[in-house]
Amino acid sequence: MQHTLRQVFRSGKFIVGFSILMTILLIVIIYPWVVRHPPLQIIGQGTFFPPGIYVNVYDAIHAPTLYTLNLEDAAANRIGNKLRQEDRVAMKEWLVAFGVPEDEIDIDDTEKLLALWEANYNPDLRLPGMTFARHRYFQRVNASIDGLLSTEPAIIAAPNSETGALEQKALIRQTDYANVDEVANVRILALGTDNFGRDVLTQLVAATAVSLVIGLVAGLIATTIGLTLGLLAGYIGGLVDDVLMFFTNLFTVIPTFVLLILISFSIGQDKRGAITIAMVIGFTSWVWTARAVRSQVLSLRNRDHVNLSKLSGHSVPRIILVDILPYIASYVVMAFILQVSSGILAEAGLSILGLGPRTTETPTLGLMMNWAMIYQAHILGKWWAYLPVLVTIALVSFSMNLMNTGLDQVFNPALRD
Amino acid sequence: MKGYTKYFLNKLGWFAITFVFAFILNFTLPRLMPGDPVAAIVARQAQGISNPTGVQAIYQQYTELFGTDKPIIEQFFIYVRNVFRGDFGFSFSQYPRTVAEVISASIGWTLILQFPAIIVGWILGNVLGAMAAYLRGGFDKVLMPSALFLSSFPAFGMAVILLVIFAVHLKWFPTSGGYGYTLIPSLTPTFLWSAFVHYQLPFWSIVLIAIGGQAIGMRSMSIYELNADYVKFARFMGIKDDKIVAYVFRNAMLPQVTGLALALGTMVGGALIAEIVFSYPGLGTTLLNGVMGQDYPLISAATLIITFMVLTANFILEILYGVIDPRIKAAQSD
Amino acid sequence: MLEVRDLSTKYVTRYKEDVYAVDRVSLKIEEGKTLGIAGESGCGKSTLALSLMGYYFPPLHYISGEIIIDGQNITGMKPDEVRKSILGKEIAYIPQAAMNALNPTRKVIDFIGDVIRAHDPTWTKQMIYDHARALFERLGLPAEVLQKYPVELSGGMKQRTVIAVAVTLTPKVLIADEPSSALDVTSQKMVIKMLRDMMESGFIKAMIFITHELPLLYNVADDIMVMYAGQIVERGTAKQTVFDPLHPYSKGLMGSILVPESGLRSAKLTAIPGAPPNLKNPPPGCRFADRCKYVKPECRVTSVPLYEVGHGRAYRCILPEEELRRAYEHGE
Ligand SMILES: Nc1ncnc2c1ncn2[C@@H]1O[C@H](COP(=O)(O)OP(=O)(O)OP(=O)(O)O)[C@@H](O)[C@H]1O
Ligand code: SF4
Ligand SMILES: [Mg+2]
């Protein structure tokens, strides 16, 4: 036993797979201790906020201290943020089309460019040959560069509670800085928000945990059923074997996911919890384990040590437990790992079909994928809503497959070289 | 030929049994759930929706057609009769189209997409797996982990990735549908070209998924065969290496045919979901629409047709296997 | 007929470790003689058999030594030359576990055709069939077997078919690696009879017979070689090696089987306590030292040579013949 374990942990593939899986598990366990936000809370008003650090503007303005920093490139950054190189080129294009001589325009001289623009641009004028979208684009550029070169401070005003007149409360200069640590509300959305305005990362961690549990439950059920049937069919043989194998063969060819669809659909949206789905998956995916266990048991049944045990009058359960199970343990473990990972994939597939667990309480990897697809995150370029989910699914499944391949090579040495 | 005929009849019998069993499951599973969900769905459908007269009509028609007010055994025989007539009733969600219409509009797309893709994936996977086993070294070291990674990827994941890269970013291919939405299916060059372009991404995402698993299987089979005793004996009898390699790969490939038959169900399942990602007008998308519209008759019919397709493909593969593996004929004749 | 001088070969594992499975083995077989090889599992019997073919492919590698078959030195020959003119024609090998030695998807006759054409592509189908038929008749096998697939043959028939295929090209030397181990008693007898008939009728000129079953070896072989950890530890006539073993290992080996009547048939070579050394880095001195009752400090210092004691007899032990015999008499 110890020797086997040592051998297993010397297999490179197994170690890599195991480490990936353990890392994911650790994150899933530790993250909720560190970040205590409810995973399904809707925080964003709007869809798909990009990943980043969100600083509360109100609090930033009212930070206890505002610091003055004289940074050389501050003005340039400010302009660059609103007026990108392609905007400058576009402005030149507009001006030339409008009739300004090309050699008068220097797009690198911001001041001059803006002055020219100021003097000539007319937002209501749609130049001939320009598409409407392009026209709108120039209007947007025009709005965003309004007051770009101003060095005036911004005024914070609040209405007087009695007269209702605006009163100046504070001046915010261009050299004013707030220290993020002193801003009362800062929220890191490392993976932005989803279509409902929920924190993707927090949700992803919770979903991974649920999906792992689904896989585990499905795998346990499938392995238990498969192991029991395989042992019975293989050891008892005869009629029991014939009947069991008949059903196993039936369920091998009838596509499992069709059964999954029918059952999940019939259960109905309201009754479909994560565990229900896991059970349904488990009850429809035992065939492979049953087949594998049976063929192993068949080859073991007539080995000397089993015969000896039979001759000594040991009971069937004892023979199975002592003389058979230990020899097929490695196969069962491998089958279990496979079942877990395919259970996770099955849940994802079902959810994409709209047949996953009901959506309100628990996130799962499949449901996150489902939402992202329905809201077209992939087409809109909102990668943070689907890519991390895909990567997680692939990593979980990959790590388990790697572990399995590693085990396979330890137990079937022929595959090694 | 006698041996083969026996094998053929055996497989045909098995095909019939599995189909009958699948048929019964298809009928009973939804009705076995607590509270008769079929009735519940039909009832739900009959209420909630804005056009009460139309829905009432479907409900009546459905009750009559499937005899939902009769005992379950009787319902079953009514169902059998209807199915053999090709009559699955009206679709709840796409009324006044019948289920048969909806399915026949989508089944062709699925057949044309999935079976070629699975076969191409199978062939490529086997070639790569055999090469990895024979060449070993660097090729194997690169191929194996990639194949493993590919096969760990869910089918829809591959579909999404291909879609984002080639349709959204590179804009080489359209993002969705089976043909340009301005076109009407016909045999014109424009339409065929459009269908061809729309075909590529769904096709390759299914191929890629299939490759991984098949390559891994073929590699193990080939390594197993390369180490077999007959290889050693043939070598020491002076038979040339290329001949031995031919023995080995032929023998390794044979179980892969049965392997394909067994994996077919799972593969088709994944491929149906890949269809959804591309809104490909096949059975997968139809299923999704059925689920969204709580369209029980449509789902029931679609799953039945899919099962039938998979079982048939399985049967064909078994028959083919009997032809290409000489041992089958031999083993059956005594 | 066959002479081997100081042959050494090794396996290279995928971790690039060397396993020295055959270490400086020399042997000689006269025409008409059968040489038996005994030794416990893993001592290198099969590897020696493979090495004798003079045709190496990974993981097995040639290190040094010479193989001379019927006066022809094959060690310097190109691999493809060996394949074409030696394998199957001069020397043939029946692998251990011959149950699976035939390609399961090829008819026996087709495989025979492949073997013949690998050496002479000009043979037609008809010629091959006639040849195979005559061969099978001569060896007492039914000709229908030719048209069958290996799965259709019973275990004993399969084994005899493999032997027939191995001698298709009438090799001079036949190496049989445990040809009867996996068979039932009746089939075993038939296989042994077949091999004996081939030797007696001069169909093959010399045979090497490898087995675990010493009583069988005593019946079949003229001379016996005992191997231990890749080396020959004793060589002599069958009678000498079985009834008057010199090397302590041989003594243990033979002692373990010559006890009670019932044990005779089934005793395997496992009765000596302890395990053989790892062949990745064998100990410098006597390889049997860890398990030897008579071990002396000097046994472990330098490698022990094979001492010739006349009439082809030899053993690998630092103790003199008489001392060993005396020890055995008192000890047992
Ligand atoms: N392919 C291989 N790669 C590395 N080492 C090997 C290989 N095949 C055999 N060996 C090693 O070489 C040694 C000799 O093996 P060999 O098969 O020749 O023994 P044997 O005497 O024929 O045993 P048995 O009675 O079990 O057939 C053993 O230690 C074995 O572990
Ligand atoms: S050399 Fe020494 S250890 Fe080896 S067999 Fe002889 S007495 Fe025993
Ligand atoms: Mg051996």
Side-chain angles (χ1 to χ4, degrees):
Chain A
M1 185 66 206
Q2 232 179 351
H3 175 72
T4 319
L5 271 185
R6 209 173 314 134
Q7 246 186 328
V8 164
F9 276 95
R10 223 178 281 152
S11 150
K13 291 208 176 82
F14 182 87
I15 293 178
V16 173
F18 188 77
S19 321
I20 297 177
L21 190 64
M22 283 303 123
T23 314
I24 293 174
L25 262 182
L26 264 184
I27 294 175
V28 164
I29 293 168
I30 292 175
Y31 184 94
W33 287 91
V34 180
V35 180
R36 290 168 173 273
H37 304 299
L40 286 183
Q41 196 181 40
I42 295 175
I43 52 174
Q45 206 177 58
T47 58
F48 300 128
F49 292 172
I53 303 170
Y54 286 72
V55 180
N56 186 304
V57 180
Y58 186 89
D59 292 339
I61 291 168
H62 292 96
T65 337
L66 285 182
Y67 304 95
T68 303
L69 292 178
N70 292 309
L71 303 180
E72 268 173 24
D73 49 356
N77 283 342
R78 197 168 293 123
I79 295 168
N81 188 278
K82 294 208 160 174
L83 186 63
R84 288 160 308 157
Q85 194 60 28
E86 63 226 60
D87 297 330
R88 293 170 191 258
V89 175
M91 283 162 78
K92 177 173 175 179
E93 179 200 332
W94 193 95
L95 290 170
V96 171
F98 183 70
V100 180
E102 199 171 340
D103 49 348
E104 275 182 28
I105 310 169
D106 177 5
I107 60 170
D108 295 325
D109 185 339
T110 313
E111 216 162 311
K112 260 190 175 163
L113 181 67
L114 286 183
L116 264 178
W117 183 258
E118 199 77 1
N120 294 303
Y121 183 72
N122 174 1
D124 299 328
L125 182 66
R126 188 164 154 196
L127 293 176
M130 187 179 291
T131 62
F132 184 64
R134 196 72 182 153
H135 178 59
R136 291 294 301 269
Y137 165 76
F138 283 114
Q139 287 178 339
R140 267 201 313 276
V141 170
N142 186 49
S144 85
I145 61 179
D146 185 36
L148 194 58
L149 290 183
S150 150
T151 51
E152 298 294 310
I155 295 171
I156 306 290
N160 182 302
S161 54
E162 279 162 26
T163 63
L166 280 179
E167 284 174 6
Q168 176 173 335
K169 290 275 180 197
L171 276 180
I172 307 288
R173 273 179 301 275
Q174 292 193 342
T175 50
D176 281 348
Y177 285 80
N179 184 331
V180 172
D181 288 342
E182 293 169 9
V183 176
N185 287 294
V186 173
R187 174 77 181 253
I188 300 173
L189 294 173
L191 291 176
T193 67
D194 69 357
N195 51 290
F196 296 116
R198 306 185 289 202
D199 176 353
V200 172
L201 180 60
T202 309
Q203 201 185 338
L204 179 65
V205 172
T208 308
V210 177
S211 282
L212 283 172
V213 170
I214 290 180
L216 205 70
V217 171
L220 276 177
I221 293 177
T223 308
T224 312
I225 299 178
L227 180 61
T228 313
L229 295 186
L231 281 172
L232 287 180
Y235 188 78
I236 299 179
L239 188 66
V240 177
D241 186 24
D242 289 344
V243 172
L244 289 181
M245 276 325 282
F246 176 76
F247 283 103
T248 309
N249 286 337
L250 270 182
F251 281 106
T252 314
V253 283
I254 296 176
T256 313
F257 76 97
V258 164
L259 300 180
L260 271 181
I261 290 174
L262 280 174
I263 300 177
S264 306
F265 183 69
S266 315
I267 292 175
Q269 166 84 21
D270 324 322
K271 296 204 191 94
R272 279 200 308 261
I275 297 300
T276 319
I277 290 291
M279 281 164 50
V280 175
I281 295 174
F283 278 111
T284 51
S285 56
W286 48 268
V287 269
W288 296 105
T289 311
R291 290 175 80 107
V293 168
R294 174 179 173 272
S295 62
Q296 290 296 316
V297 173
L298 277 185
S299 74
L300 272 172
R301 194 167 61 176
N302 289 321
R303 292 259 190 93
D304 290 345
H305 72 279
V306 179
N307 281 331
L308 197 71
S309 213
K310 269 189 235 167
L311 285 178
S312 338
H314 290 148
S315 66
V316 173
R318 197 202 128 116
I319 297 178
I320 289 183
L321 233 72
V322 177
D323 299 309
I324 296 203
L325 262 186
Y327 293 84
I328 57 172
S330 64
Y331 284 88
V332 177
V333 170
M334 277 155 56
F336 173 69
I337 295 180
L338 266 189
Q339 298 279 16
V340 173
S341 88
S342 68
I344 293 173
L345 292 188
E347 184 276 329
L350 266 185
S351 294
I352 290 201
L353 260 178
L355 289 173
R358 71 181 164 267
T359 51
T360 43
E361 297 153 15
T362 36
T364 67
L365 293 172
L367 286 174
M368 289 186 73
M369 204 59 213
N370 184 28
W371 294 321
M373 309 295 308
I374 292 176
Y375 286 84
Q376 306 235 302
H378 55 305
I379 297 189
L380 298 174
K382 313 294 183 192
W383 58 266
W384 57 89
Y386 65 88
L387 197 62
V389 183
L390 271 185
V391 170
T392 310
I393 294 178
L395 274 182
V396 169
S397 154
F398 180 56
S399 65
M400 292 190 179
N401 281 348
L402 260 185
M403 281 163 65
N404 240 345
T405 317
L407 289 177
D408 209 15
Q409 289 176 345
V410 170
F411 296 115
N412 300 321
L415 292 179
R416 257 182 231 163
D417 40 19
Chain B
M1 205 55 211
K2 186 175 164 298
Y4 188 69
T5 315
K6 203 162 141 197
Y7 174 81
F8 179 85
L9 290 179
N10 188 343
K11 291 295 166 191
L12 190 67
W14 181 243
F15 172 65
I17 292 174
T18 45
F19 184 68
V20 168
F21 191 78
F23 191 91
I24 296 176
L25 274 185
N26 208 69
F27 173 82
T28 47
L29 270 184
R31 290 169 174 80
L32 278 180
M33 296 298 133
D36 189 0
V38 177
I41 291 163
V42 174
R44 215 182 305 146
Q45 200 71 26
Q47 297 157 3
I49 298 179
S50 53
N51 173 5
T53 44
V55 173
Q56 201 59 38
I58 313 179
Y59 182 36
Q60 286 242 296
Q61 192 262 0
Y62 186 79
T63 318
E64 259 165 50
L65 183 60
F66 291 93
T68 42
D69 45 356
K70 305 216 169 74
I72 192 138
I73 298 290
E74 212 176 319
Q75 282 184 43
F76 179 70
F77 286 106
I78 295 175
Y79 182 63
V80 173
R81 193 194 58 207
N82 288 338
V83 166
F84 275 94
R85 283 192 200 140
D87 189 353
F88 293 91
F90 284 109
S91 152
F92 286 174
S93 59
Q94 303 184 33
Y95 185 79
R97 292 177 81 196
T98 63
V99 168
E101 274 168 32
V102 177
I103 300 250
S104 54
S106 57
I107 190 167
W109 292 100
T110 290
L111 284 176
I112 282 184
L113 173 67
Q114 298 204 354
F115 288 102
I118 289 176
I119 289 170
V120 169
W122 184 83
I123 293 174
L124 288 180
N126 280 324
V127 170
L128 288 176
M131 280 166 72
Y134 188 65
L135 298 177
R136 300 165 192 238
F139 186 77
D140 191 23
K141 285 215 174 67
V142 175
L143 184 88
M144 264 308 280
S146 337
L148 204 60
F149 191 73
L150 269 186
S151 68
S152 321
F153 230 70
F156 60 85
M158 184 53 65
V160 170
I161 301 249
L162 289 190
L163 185 136
V164 169
I165 296 178
F166 295 103
V168 177
H169 281 285
L170 297 176
K171 297 200 169 60
W172 291 354
F173 299 101
T175 54
S176 68
Y179 48 89
Y181 52 84
T182 53
L183 301 174
I184 299 165
S186 59
L187 283 180
T188 57
T190 338
F191 176 79
L192 289 179
W193 173 248
S194 166
F196 176 76
V197 173
H198 282 78
Y199 185 78
Q200 297 309 312
L201 288 183
F203 178 80
W204 289 107
S205 55
I206 299 171
V207 169
L208 278 180
I209 290 297
I211 283 181
Q214 294 301 323
I216 295 173
M218 183 63 177
R219 176 180 176 272
S220 316
M221 278 321 298
S222 305
I223 290 180
Y224 176 80
E225 292 287 334
L226 277 170
N227 289 324
D229 294 318
Y230 70 82
V231 170
K232 207 186 253 177
F233 185 51
R235 273 217 172 102
F236 281 122
M237 286 310 294
I239 292 180
K240 277 192 193 149
D241 259 16
D242 47 3
K243 186 110 205 166
I244 295 177
V245 169
Y247 286 176
V248 163
F249 291 128
R250 183 192 150 101
N251 291 351
M253 199 207 69
L254 289 173
Q256 287 290 97
V257 176
T258 343
L260 177 64
L262 292 177
L264 209 59
T266 320
M267 282 184 167
V268 169
L272 285 172
I273 293 172
E275 275 186 12
I276 294 178
V277 173
F278 293 102
S279 314
Y280 203 74
L283 285 173
T285 309
T286 301
L287 259 179
L288 177 70
N289 292 337
V291 173
M292 292 300 176
Q294 291 276 303
D295 193 340
Y296 172 72
L298 184 57
I299 292 179
S300 166
T303 46
L304 190 63
I305 295 286
I306 293 168
T307 311
F308 182 69
M309 274 166 28
V310 170
L311 291 182
T312 310
N314 213 316
F315 174 64
I316 295 174
L317 279 175
E318 296 271 17
I319 292 309
L320 211 76
Y321 182 70
V323 177
I324 56 179
D325 189 335
R327 284 169 294 186
I328 297 289
K329 263 180 264 179
Q332 296 282 328
S333 57
D334 40 52
Chain C
M1 198 73 243
L2 173 70
E3 195 176 347
V4 174
R5 294 196 202 114
D6 282 330
L7 184 65
S8 298
T9 56
K10 65 179 177 183
Y11 288 110
V12 180
T13 70
R14 75 169 175 139
Y15 302 112
K16 302 279 173 259
E17 298 157 329
D18 293 341
V19 178
Y20 299 97
V22 171
D23 188 26
R24 279 165 291 151
V25 169
S26 302
L27 57 86
K28 199 168 179 177
I29 312 174
E30 303 296 338
E31 182 161 344
K33 296 281 184 197
T34 298
L35 171 70
I37 300 181
E40 66 194 325
S41 188
C43 69
K45 303 182 298 293
S46 298
T47 314
L48 172 62
L50 298 180
S51 306
L52 293 179
M53 309 293 294
Y55 187 64
Y56 306 95
F57 46 85
L60 188 61
H61 294 265
Y62 168 82
I63 301 176
S64 61
E66 285 182 337
I67 303 166
I68 297 143
I69 302 174
D70 203 14
Q72 187 183 10
N73 190 335
I74 65 167
T75 25
M77 288 164 72
K78 289 202 188 80
D80 199 57
E81 190 69 11
V82 175
R83 179 190 72 71
K84 244 186 122 177
S85 57
I86 304 297
L87 295 184
K89 285 175 110 169
E90 297 290 326
I91 185 166
Y93 170 67
I94 305 166
Q96 197 168 355
M99 285 295 124
N100 307 315
L102 295 172
N103 180 354
T105 61
R106 219 149 161 72
K107 282 186 189 163
V108 174
I109 181 71
D110 292 334
F111 183 63
I112 293 179
D114 290 344
V115 169
I116 293 177
R117 288 212 179 104
H119 297 86
D120 184 354
T122 58
W123 281 54
T124 65
K125 247 192 142 112
Q126 190 58 44
M127 286 159 74
I128 291 169
Y129 181 74
D130 293 342
H131 176 83
R133 207 190 148 88
L135 175 76
F136 270 52
E137 255 159 35
R138 163 144 207 215
L139 298 177
L141 291 172
E144 302 94 79
V145 169
L146 290 173
Q147 298 302 340
K148 296 204 167 166
Y149 289 97
V151 274
E152 299 175 82
L153 304 176
S154 69
M157 185 56 83
K158 220 187 284 181
Q159 180 67 286
R160 288 196 287 155
T161 305
V162 172
I163 296 174
V165 174
V167 297
T168 301
L169 304 171
T170 49
K172 296 182 181 117
V173 183
L174 181 66
I175 305 177
D177 193 354
E178 313 223 11
S180 61
S181 298
L183 300 176
D184 61 281
V185 182
T186 330
S187 306
Q188 273 186 5
K189 282 198 178 129
M190 290 170 87
V191 166
I192 300 301
K193 183 170 178 304
M194 183 176 173
L195 289 172
R196 272 205 164 145
D197 288 349
M198 288 197 303
M199 279 299 289
E200 275 160 20
S201 64
F203 190 76
I204 47 177
K205 305 277 182 285
M207 179 157 77
I208 294 182
F209 193 97
I210 300 173
T211 182
H212 276 137
E213 290 172 69
L214 280 169
L216 182 63
L217 199 54
Y218 176 66
N219 284 333
V220 175
D222 300 299
D223 297 319
I224 292 183
M225 245 172 56
V226 179
M227 277 188 86
Y228 184 78
Q231 293 176 326
I232 295 174
V233 292
E234 174 147 9
R235 159 156 48 77
T237 64
K239 203 167 175 185
Q240 287 169 337
T241 347
V242 173
F243 292 106
D244 179 28
L246 286 177
H247 194 279
Y249 175 68
S250 314
K251 177 70 190 167
L253 212 57
M254 306 307 163
S256 73
I257 61 144
L258 292 175
V259 214
E261 253 313 299
S262 64
L264 240 161
R265 270 236 68 86
S266 59
K268 304 265 170 178
L269 312 181
T270 47
I272 308 159
N278 188 337
L279 292 179
K280 279 172 196 159
N281 40 10
C286 173
R287 296 188 176 178
F288 188 57
D290 283 344
R291 298 165 81 182
C292 182
K293 276 199 257 182
Y294 315 104
V295 60
K296 303 256 165 2
E298 53 269 37
C299 297
R300 300 182 188 272
V301 183
T302 48
S303 66
V304 183
L306 198 60
Y307 295 105
E308 297 285 342
V309 289
H311 308 290
R313 186 129 206 236
Y315 72 104
R316 193 186 293 272
C317 176
I318 55 164
L319 297 184
E321 221 174 323
E322 309 75 50
E323 196 177 331
L324 283 166
R325 286 220 178 82
R326 219 176 307 129
Y328 297 154
E329 253 162 48
H330 294 295
E332 299 301 334

